[in-house]
């Protein structure tokens, strides 16, 4: 065995990639566990994805994460895609198996659920209706996570109505699709509101949603983490709602990735959170 066989390697592939906080997250864990290893950001345009993924075994990588716009493209490339990734329709994590073949999974839903549980350990998505804004890749992971945890009523609103209808049909769960112009009413009586659109992200307009019909007891979560606190989270906090920001979704999805790549279960700690928040 060559001496550097113990050097652990993983990566994130995206296009562009410079905005990714994943290297800071995973390199923190390498240092915390006293491991020699590195997690590298790789700028890979979609047309080079297949070559890049197939190079992972030869380069001794244990696997990689995928981010925009590669999460869907990888579905047709990998040797095996698990049932969760198929259902969500996107791959967030690739594992290099001992025989060099590539397996894909999706851990975003896990990150979403465990981010909420970190702050509200007794959180139960079945105690009342949950409004989800958005029907893109992030929303699919959110809805999957809510259904996994037993949500009984999900009200789904998306600017492009047909996309929400497709999601509801594919997921075949307790999902009611409401037109985008009814979003202000859709949150009435809800126990939870999730923003899974890109509105509120740095460089984008705030999510155009009036909160007056949302109960003050409702939990509000935004899956966006740049900025750290979106206009929605700020408005919800100011009117007295409990809020959970989006960074923890990114942090927690790293845990099952590490289990699969290195057989180690890392922890999301306050020190880690502060370190990554300082980069936002
Ligand atoms: N915290 C995390 O770990 C995590 C994980 C995944 C995603 N995210 C964040 O979640 C956000 C969405 O990501 P994604 O992957 O789901 O993106 P996506 O697949 O491109 O979906 C974007 C969503 O935003 C909606 N949208 C875009 N512009 C809009 C507008 N002007 N008004 C209303 N709705 C609009 C889209 O509606 P249409 O269908 O009408 O276009 C769609 O529902 C991003 O900010 C991303 O960074 C965070």
């Amino acid at each position: 065995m060559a001496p550097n066989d113990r050097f652990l390697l993983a990566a994130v592939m995206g296009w562009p990639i410079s905005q990714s906080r994943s290297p800071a997250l995973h390199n923190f864990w390498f240092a915390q566990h006293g491991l020699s290893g590195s997690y590298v950001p790789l700028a890979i345009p979609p047309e080079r994805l297949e070559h890049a993924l197939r190079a992972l075994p030869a380069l001794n990588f244990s696997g990689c994460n995928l981010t925009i716009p590669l999460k869907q493209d990888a579905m047709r490339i990998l040797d095996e895609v698990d049932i969760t990734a198929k259902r969500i329709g996107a791959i967030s994590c690739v594992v290099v198996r001992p025989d060099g073949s590539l397996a894909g999974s999706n851990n975003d839903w896990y990150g979403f659920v465990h981010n909420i549980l970190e702050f509200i350990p007794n959180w139960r998505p079945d105690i009342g209706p949950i409004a989800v804004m958005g029907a893109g890749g992030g929303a699919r992971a959110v809805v999957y996570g809510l259904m996994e945890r037993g949500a009984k009523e999900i009200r789904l609103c998306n600017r492009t109505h047909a996309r929400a209808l497709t999601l509801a049909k594919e997921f075949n769960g307790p999902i009611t699709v409401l037109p985008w112009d009814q979003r202000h009413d859709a949150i009435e009586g809800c126990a939870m509101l999730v923003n899974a659109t890109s509105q509120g992200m740095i460089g984008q307009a705030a999510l155009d949603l009036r909160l007056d019909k949302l109960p003050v007891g409702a939990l509000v979560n935004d899956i966006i983490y740049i900025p750290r606190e979106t206009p929605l989270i700020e408005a919800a906090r100011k009117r007295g709602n409990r809020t959970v920001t989006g960074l923890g979704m990114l942090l927690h999805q790293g845990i099952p990735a590490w289990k699969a790549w290195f057989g180690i279960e890392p922890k999301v700690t306050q020190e880690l959170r502060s370190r990554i928040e300082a980069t936002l």
Side-chain angles (χ1 to χ4, degrees):
M1 270 203 167
N4 66 353
D5 275 356
R6 301 295 302 160
F7 193 82
L8 304 176
L9 277 167
V12 55
M13 297 183 187
W15 183 255
I17 200 60
S18 57
Q19 79 295 343
S20 175
R21 287 343 190 244
S22 291
L25 160 66
H26 293 277
N27 287 318
F28 175 93
W29 279 335
F30 279 131
Q32 191 191 41
H33 288 84
L35 293 168
S36 33
S38 188
Y39 183 101
V40 290
L42 299 174
I44 307 292
E47 64 275 15
R48 283 217 317 263
L49 179 62
E50 182 157 10
H51 285 308
L53 287 170
R54 290 294 172 200
L56 290 172
L59 293 170
N60 249 342
F61 276 74
S62 298
C64 71
N65 290 121
L66 297 173
T67 187
I68 292 172
L70 308 175
K71 287 184 171 188
Q72 283 85 25
D73 295 358
M75 302 278 291
R76 57 173 179 78
I77 297 171
L78 301 183
D79 302 302
E80 195 179 316
V81 175
D82 75 11
I83 186 81
T84 303
K86 278 189 189 144
R87 194 97 194 269
I88 295 173
I91 289 164
S92 70
C93 180
V94 176
V95 177
V96 176
R97 296 191 290 205
D99 66 355
S101 62
L102 302 174
S105 59
N106 189 307
N107 299 326
D108 288 344
W109 74 274
Y110 176 98
F112 163 72
V113 165
H114 288 268
N115 181 35
I116 306 292
L117 288 172
E118 181 189 337
F119 291 96
I120 304 165
N122 62 353
W123 172 65
R124 294 182 49 148
D126 59 352
I127 54 159
I130 299 177
V132 178
M133 302 290 144
R140 292 176 74 94
V142 166
V143 172
Y144 184 91
L146 291 172
M147 283 174 55
E148 272 292 304
R149 303 298 288 204
K152 293 227 162 49
E153 183 184 350
I154 299 169
R155 300 178 189 167
L156 188 64
C157 294
N158 191 50
R159 178 182 62 174
T160 306
H161 192 64
R163 205 174 178 190
L165 288 173
T166 302
L167 189 164
K169 192 169 169 216
E170 283 180 26
F171 278 59
N172 190 26
I175 304 169
T176 307
V177 177
L178 295 157
W180 185 240
D181 60 10
Q182 287 177 27
R183 63 194 179 282
H184 313 289
D185 299 319
I187 61 178
E188 186 166 8
C190 279
M192 184 176 182
L193 162 66
V194 183
N195 177 35
T197 75
S198 50
Q199 295 304 97
M201 208 174 147
I202 195 148
Q204 300 275 335
L207 178 67
D208 176 13
L209 180 66
R210 290 194 303 272
L211 296 181
D212 43 299
K213 294 200 171 156
L214 185 71
V216 178
L219 171 65
V220 178
N221 169 236
D222 200 321
I223 70 166
I224 291 171
Y225 61 91
I226 308 175
R228 210 168 110 178
E229 191 174 73
T230 59
L232 170 71
I233 290 290
E234 190 182 354
R237 183 172 48 73
K238 283 186 174 156
R239 70 192 287 276
N241 291 94
R242 275 197 300 185
T243 58
V244 176
T245 61
L247 179 61
M249 179 171 172
L250 175 76
L251 304 181
H252 282 278
Q253 60 77 37
I255 295 173
W258 262 59
K259 276 201 246 174
W261 294 335
F262 311 128
I264 294 169
E265 189 166 344
K267 297 255 177 304
V268 172
T269 59
Q270 188 49 48
E271 188 193 356
L272 168 64
R273 192 176 272 280
S274 306
R275 242 354 139 80
I276 310 296
E277 274 178 354
T279 73
L280 300 180

